[in-house]
Amino acid sequence: MPALPWTDGLKLGLPVMDETHQEFVDLLARAETADDATLPALWNELVEHTTEHFDREDEWMLATGFALGNCHAMQHRAVLQVLRHGAAEATQGNLAPIRKVIQELAVWFPHHAQTMDASLALHLQGVGFDPYTGQVSRPEALPAEAITGCGGGDCS
């Protein structure tokens, strides 16, 4: 069993976000069981997926009233830095950092999803944001001031 199996507890009720999260969990599980020969390619696939995943969420945040340097986006940047460092180490034949980060991501991701991403999903639903078109159907619900935290009560 993978360190992070997909469960209904990770669903947030925003289908595009849930699908992306399930893809992330699946890629992480594949990397976890990969042999040394296939791990670097799988890791690069995870890095690419996660970059697109985080970029999309960051765009949604900016479109709906989050400040550029909000803590949710900053956490995305920090995680991507770690993922890219692992990819660089893999090019040198050092897979140990990736193997360690896989285990750390299995602990980090559920918390991130159930706090920051859950807050973002609620915020997006509250302003009537369509993640496919980028349209906001309830602009009056957008915040008067830019959100600098994660959009919920778990961070400031």
Side-chain angles (χ1 to χ4, degrees):
M1 171 169 265
L4 177 60
W6 178 257
T7 67
D8 284 346
L10 293 172
K11 289 183 181 178
L12 301 176
L14 190 64
V16 67
M17 187 182 280
D18 289 339
E19 291 165 12
T20 301
H21 287 175
Q22 186 167 5
E23 290 167 2
F24 174 84
V25 169
D26 292 345
L27 284 167
L28 190 63
R30 287 177 53 209
E32 182 180 7
T33 60
D35 61 28
D36 288 352
T38 57
L39 181 57
L42 283 170
W43 190 256
N44 286 335
E45 189 177 343
L46 179 69
V47 172
E48 182 179 326
H49 174 274
T50 306
T51 300
E52 292 171 6
H53 165 184
F54 289 174
D55 284 351
R56 186 177 319 114
E57 287 184 11
D58 291 349
E59 289 171 12
W60 295 344
M61 286 187 276
L62 289 176
T64 61
F66 281 74
L68 187 59
N70 72 79
C71 71
H72 189 161
M74 295 303 289
Q75 191 171 99
H76 285 169
R77 286 187 204 112
V79 170
L80 285 174
Q81 184 176 357
V82 170
L83 296 178
R84 291 176 179 139
H85 175 74
E89 287 291 315
T91 64
Q92 303 299 313
N94 185 8
L95 301 179
I98 291 175
R99 300 251 183 235
K100 181 170 175 51
V101 170
I102 289 168
Q103 298 307 309
E104 291 172 356
L105 286 171
V107 173
W108 167 81
F109 183 74
H111 179 71
H112 178 81
Q114 293 165 349
T115 57
M116 291 187 175
D117 287 341
S119 295
L120 176 58
L122 285 172
H123 169 74
L124 295 175
Q125 291 164 342
V127 300
F129 183 77
D130 182 333
Y132 298 103
T133 66
Q135 298 297 310
V136 174
S137 65
R138 290 187 287 284
E140 69 280 1
L142 290 169
E145 294 184 26
I147 299 168
T148 57
C150 65
D154 286 348
C155 71
S156 57

